[in-house]
Amino acid sequence: MKVSFLLASVLYIALGLVLLIWPGISRDLICLSFGLLLLIYGIITIISFFVHDSRLGTFRFELILGIVAAAAGLLFLIKPEFVKSVIPVVLGIYIIIDALLNLKRSLELHSLQYGRWWVILVLSLVSVALGVLILFRPGMTADVLIMVIGGVFVYNGLSDLWSIFKISRITKEYRKNNPIIIDPIDIE
C-alpha cells in the first residue's frame, strides 16, 4: 500500500510539473496520459487489496479508490471526446477523494497521538478546496485550467509524500515504543 501511495504521489508531481511548464499540450495527450495513469494506479490499488489482509477497514477504502480510478482510466481511453468535455469534473472529484483519504490519515495520526497530525489535516482541507475549485470552475480558459490542475497535482503529490513519510515514521516509533506481546498460552 505504501508503494502504491508513493508511486501515485510521484506521478502527481511529475504530471503536475508537465502541466505547469507546458500548458499548451494537446488535450488528446492529456486524456491518454490521465487514462493510463488512472488505470495503472487503479490496478495497483486493486491488487494491493487482494494481496493484503482485506479485513482491515483501510483496505476497503483503497479498493473503492482503485475501482473508481481504473474505471475512470478506461473511460479516458475509450471515450476521449466525452472525457475532454468533463475533465474538470472528473479531476476535481478524484482530487477531492484523494484529499479525503489524506484526511483519514490525519485522523489515524491523531489516534496514534502524533502532535502535528493537524498539519496533514490542514493539507487535506486545502486539497479538498483546490479540488472543489477545479470542479466548479470549468469556464476557465484551457491553458489556465491546465496550469491550475498542474499546480494542484504538484501540491497534492507533495502533501501525499509528506503524509506518507510522517505516517511511516510515527508508525515505526509507535511499534518500537508499544511492542506486541504474545502470551504463549494464546498461541496454543
Side-chain angles (χ1 to χ4, degrees), residues 7-168:
L7 177 63
S9 299
V10 170
L11 291 175
Y12 272 146
I13 294 167
L15 183 59
L17 288 173
V18 168
L19 295 177
L20 276 171
I21 295 170
W22 298 290
I25 292 175
S26 76
R27 290 186 196 180
D28 291 333
L29 182 58
I30 292 171
C31 193
L32 176 66
S33 299
F34 282 143
L36 288 173
L37 291 173
L38 287 170
L39 184 61
I40 291 168
Y41 177 73
I43 290 170
I44 289 171
T45 305
I46 291 168
I47 290 171
S48 175
F49 172 79
F50 289 107
V51 170
H52 293 92
D53 187 2
S54 61
R55 291 174 294 169
L56 299 174
T58 304
F59 291 110
R60 288 188 201 129
F61 293 115
E62 303 308 321
L63 177 63
I64 292 168
L65 179 62
I67 291 170
V68 169
L74 284 174
L75 182 65
F76 273 55
L77 295 172
I78 295 171
K79 298 281 188 182
E81 292 303 317
F82 170 75
V83 171
K84 283 185 255 180
S85 67
V86 295
I87 282 178
V89 174
V90 172
L91 292 177
I93 290 171
Y94 189 76
I95 289 168
I96 291 169
I97 290 170
D98 187 64
L100 291 174
L101 287 173
N102 279 338
L103 179 71
K104 182 181 171 297
R105 289 184 208 127
S106 73
L107 297 176
E108 289 172 355
L109 283 177
H110 177 65
S111 69
L112 293 172
Q113 300 173 349
Y114 177 63
R116 295 186 189 154
W117 66 274
W118 58 270
V119 174
I120 296 174
L121 175 71
V122 170
L123 293 174
S124 301
L125 293 175
V126 170
S127 291
V128 168
L130 292 172
V132 169
L133 173 71
I134 290 171
L135 187 63
F136 291 108
R137 298 293 294 187
M140 289 190 235
T141 64
D143 284 350
V144 172
L145 179 61
I146 289 170
M147 291 178 75
V148 168
I149 291 169
V152 170
F153 273 143
V154 169
Y155 170 81
N156 202 31
L158 290 173
S159 68
D160 283 355
L161 283 176
W162 191 84
S163 297
I164 292 165
F165 171 75
K166 286 298 181 183
I167 288 173
S168 295

